[in-house]
Amino acid sequence: MEGREGMGLKVVGARKIWMAIAVFMTLFCTACAKDSSEREIGIDGFVFRPELLVKSQDLRIYKMKAWGGCIYYVKDKALYKLSVEDKVDFTESRVVLEIPAGGMLDYMPGPNQELYYVTGEERAWDAKTAPRGCTLVKCLENGKTEYNRFFPDTVVSGSECLAVNEEGWAFLALEDEIYCVDPEGELADSIETGEICSPGMEGKLLQGAEGRIYYCVKTSFSRYSFYELVGKDSFQLVKLEGLPVEDITDIYSSEYGLLCDTWGGTLYQYSIDSSGWKMLLQWGDADMYHPVSNTNLIAQISEDRIITYLAVDTGRENREGMSLLTRTPVAELPEREEIVMVSIYPSSELMQMVTEFNRSNSRYHVTVETYLWGELDTKLNSRLVSSSPPDLLDVSRLDVLNYAEKQTFEDLEPYLEGSSLLDREDFMENLLEGYTVDEK
């Protein structure tokens, strides 16, 4: 148990008491022993391993996208471009566009290194008189503007409102339609979207493999409808089936296939063949905590490399960082014993503690299985009484006494007495009494 005691408990100073209480309240070993079966680590024999590129205080970026061997991102009112074919060094980024005064609503690299972007109207406004109208601009690689198309009396839909196909057609998502602009900058077609968009729910235009264009419409807090935009000179939306059944955090463009991030900690990729959505990575296997937030930035720069920019709000501090994830065979990783923890909506701080433990411990690896409220009486309880129950249970959102009376938990008293890290004095006596059942 020496290695397990260290999980999330490397504490100093004032944090010791809080961390001790957190561990005592949220981590309990289950009474049942494991069977011989173990979860397969990784996807198809591979995991993605992280390398920290930039710390949060060094880089605050927005709207990161990867296309054509380059990374694009917005920082300090400018759009930057960085080649990532050989290495990823953000000190070599260069400015390709100063953000116009009206703001840049969205942008997208073209098939021949052009840059397309959408700007808003530059004029004073307030909540009652928001300016209407936007401008679509196409710039060549040398910086020359090829066209500048103004659309009056329009409002774009969401922060991802622009997509460009391999023929140079640009598509602009507005409140209730999608404008289809030909390679010369002329409005050639439009698609009505009012019937498929729920009131107050945002739609987004995304690009996938082979330059295919998709329109994803939010239907609830964590669910989407999924359409492909098809055609050559006139276009229509064709509904696709098969989005991951898990609650969705966000969906991202990728020239290797759309990426879909889920609450359960799995990142999926869309294949244009009959296989549809396939698991690409699990954040826990990558020793990374991905917060459930639409502020996450995920950009795939090759089939084997992904850049992430994740903002973590633990309730005590904000932690951000940019990492490079590289696909690595599981066989090349050091062997570690897996500890399984189950949780109902784990807190940011708990997940960050697990991540830090996994990165620093060479003997154990904690995998968190997340369950929804509706799965409490079905999947979770069935898991606890199965032949292979989890090792740890996050009880912060559960009725502890109810589970204790059913002999679900192991008695922690012997571990507390034998611990070199924790003492009974670290806990409030009434807390210990409140979580003691049948003298355990």
Side-chain angles (χ1 to χ4, degrees):
M1 285 297 295
E2 180 179 355
R4 298 194 184 197
E5 286 180 6
M7 181 170 55
L9 290 173
K10 294 187 176 181
V11 293
V12 294
R15 293 195 69 196
K16 181 176 180 180
I17 300 298
W18 182 90
M19 292 288 283
I21 294 174
V23 170
F24 188 78
M25 291 188 64
T26 61
L27 303 180
F28 284 84
C29 292
T30 57
C32 302
K34 278 187 175 181
D35 64 10
S36 58
S37 63
E38 293 186 2
R39 184 184 70 89
E40 181 180 350
I41 303 297
I43 307 297
D44 297 330
F46 290 86
V47 297
F48 281 79
R49 301 302 300 164
E51 171 192 351
L52 183 64
L53 296 174
V54 184
K55 295 181 179 179
S56 59
Q57 60 265 34
D58 300 325
L59 184 67
R60 182 63 62 89
I61 72 170
Y62 308 91
K63 288 186 172 292
M64 181 175 68
K65 300 184 181 185
W67 214 265
C70 294
I71 281 282
Y72 299 79
Y73 60 92
V74 175
K75 176 179 179 287
D76 298 333
K77 299 183 180 180
L79 177 64
Y80 287 79
K81 179 180 180 180
L82 171 66
S83 174
V84 293
E85 291 183 339
D86 299 321
K87 60 180 180 178
V88 182
D89 183 354
F90 278 85
T91 63
E92 297 183 359
S93 302
R94 62 183 179 88
V95 175
V96 293
L97 178 70
E98 298 289 346
I99 304 300
M104 184 174 68
L105 306 177
D106 199 8
Y107 71 92
M108 193 65 208
N112 299 303
Q113 298 297 313
E114 313 99 323
L115 179 65
Y116 297 74
Y117 62 93
V118 184
T119 67
E121 278 289 86
E122 180 189 0
R123 66 172 184 262
W125 61 283
D126 56 35
K128 296 182 179 180
T129 59
R132 298 179 67 87
C134 63
T135 301
L136 173 62
V137 182
K138 176 184 178 182
C139 290
L140 302 179
E141 187 177 8
N142 60 12
K144 180 181 177 181
T145 298
E146 180 154 318
Y147 66 71
N148 188 311
R149 184 75 160 84
F150 176 64
F151 299 105
D153 199 33
T154 58
V155 176
V156 299
S157 173
S159 59
E160 294 177 86
C161 58
L162 179 63
V164 181
N165 70 10
E166 290 189 327
E167 288 73 41
W169 281 74
F171 303 91
L172 182 62
L174 304 174
E175 285 180 306
D176 54 5
E177 60 185 325
I178 297 174
Y179 279 2
C180 309
V181 181
D182 69 20
E184 287 71 45
E186 298 300 323
L187 179 58
D189 195 10
S190 65
I191 305 171
E192 296 290 333
T193 59
E195 292 186 359
I196 64 175
C197 292
S198 302
M201 294 294 179
E202 181 180 292
K204 57 172 62 182
L205 280 170
L206 301 170
Q207 293 183 217
E210 299 182 1
R212 299 192 183 203
I213 309 299
Y214 301 91
Y215 188 57
C216 296
V217 183
K218 209 165 191 178
T219 57
S220 66
F221 179 66
S222 58
R223 299 290 178 175
Y224 287 82
S225 290
F226 183 42
Y227 300 83
E228 183 176 0
L229 197 153
V230 299
K232 188 173 182 179
D233 295 320
S234 64
F235 300 88
Q236 61 179 328
L237 293 173
V238 176
K239 188 172 184 179
L240 303 176
E241 303 296 338
L243 271 170
V245 296
E246 301 180 50
D247 284 357
I248 295 171
T249 302
D250 212 341
I251 306 177
Y252 303 86
S253 293
S254 169
E255 60 186 310
Y256 303 94
L258 295 185
L259 299 173
C260 178
D261 197 17
T262 64
W263 283 43
T266 301
L267 183 67
Y268 292 84
Q269 184 146 53
Y270 184 71
S271 175
I272 59 177
D273 62 23
S274 58
S275 59
W277 292 94
K278 299 176 63 177
M279 290 190 295
L280 180 64
L281 69 84
Q282 292 177 312
W283 295 104
D285 288 344
D287 291 345
M288 293 191 68
Y289 166 49
H290 90 300
V292 179
S293 169
N294 59 8
T295 62
N296 298 336
L297 303 179
I298 301 174
Q300 187 174 13
I301 60 178
S302 72
E303 291 185 347
D304 299 325
R305 296 186 301 162
I306 297 172
I307 291 180
T308 66
Y309 183 74
L310 308 180
V312 181
D313 181 2
T314 66
R316 293 170 169 259
E317 58 183 323
N318 292 327
R319 304 174 183 177
E320 298 174 341
M322 180 173 291
S323 299
L324 172 65
L325 278 63
T326 303
R327 193 168 184 254
T328 305
V330 172
E332 296 182 5
L333 302 179
E335 291 188 7
R336 293 188 289 177
E337 180 181 343
E338 183 180 37
I339 300 173
V340 177
M341 176 196 297
V342 298
S343 174
I344 298 286
Y345 294 116
S347 67
S348 296
E349 189 142 20
L350 174 62
M351 292 303 297
Q352 189 66 23
M353 290 164 57
V354 169
T355 298
E356 292 172 357
F357 171 80
N358 285 339
R359 291 184 179 183
S360 61
N361 194 288
S362 60
R363 184 177 177 184
Y364 299 103
H365 180 276
V366 177
T367 296
V368 180
E369 295 180 1
T370 302
Y371 291 85
L372 306 178
W373 280 115
E375 299 172 329
L376 175 62
D377 294 327
T378 54
K379 291 185 179 180
L380 177 57
N381 288 342
S382 297
R383 181 82 162 88
L384 295 177
V385 298
S386 70
S387 60
S388 57
D391 303 287
L392 303 172
L393 178 62
D394 171 13
V395 298
S396 58
R397 302 179 191 274
L398 300 177
D399 184 344
V400 178
L401 298 182
N402 179 50
Y403 283 94
E405 290 170 352
K406 296 178 180 179
Q407 302 296 312
T408 303
F409 304 131
E410 185 171 355
D411 184 7
L412 294 181
E413 181 71 28
Y415 300 114
L416 183 59
E417 291 179 353
S419 174
S420 60
L421 182 63
L422 299 178
D423 298 311
R424 288 190 66 92
E425 291 71 23
D426 291 332
F427 302 91
M428 293 179 289
E429 190 60 34
N430 61 347
L431 178 65
L432 292 176
E433 291 177 359
Y435 283 88
T436 297
V437 179
D438 295 333
E439 300 183 351
K440 296 182 181 180

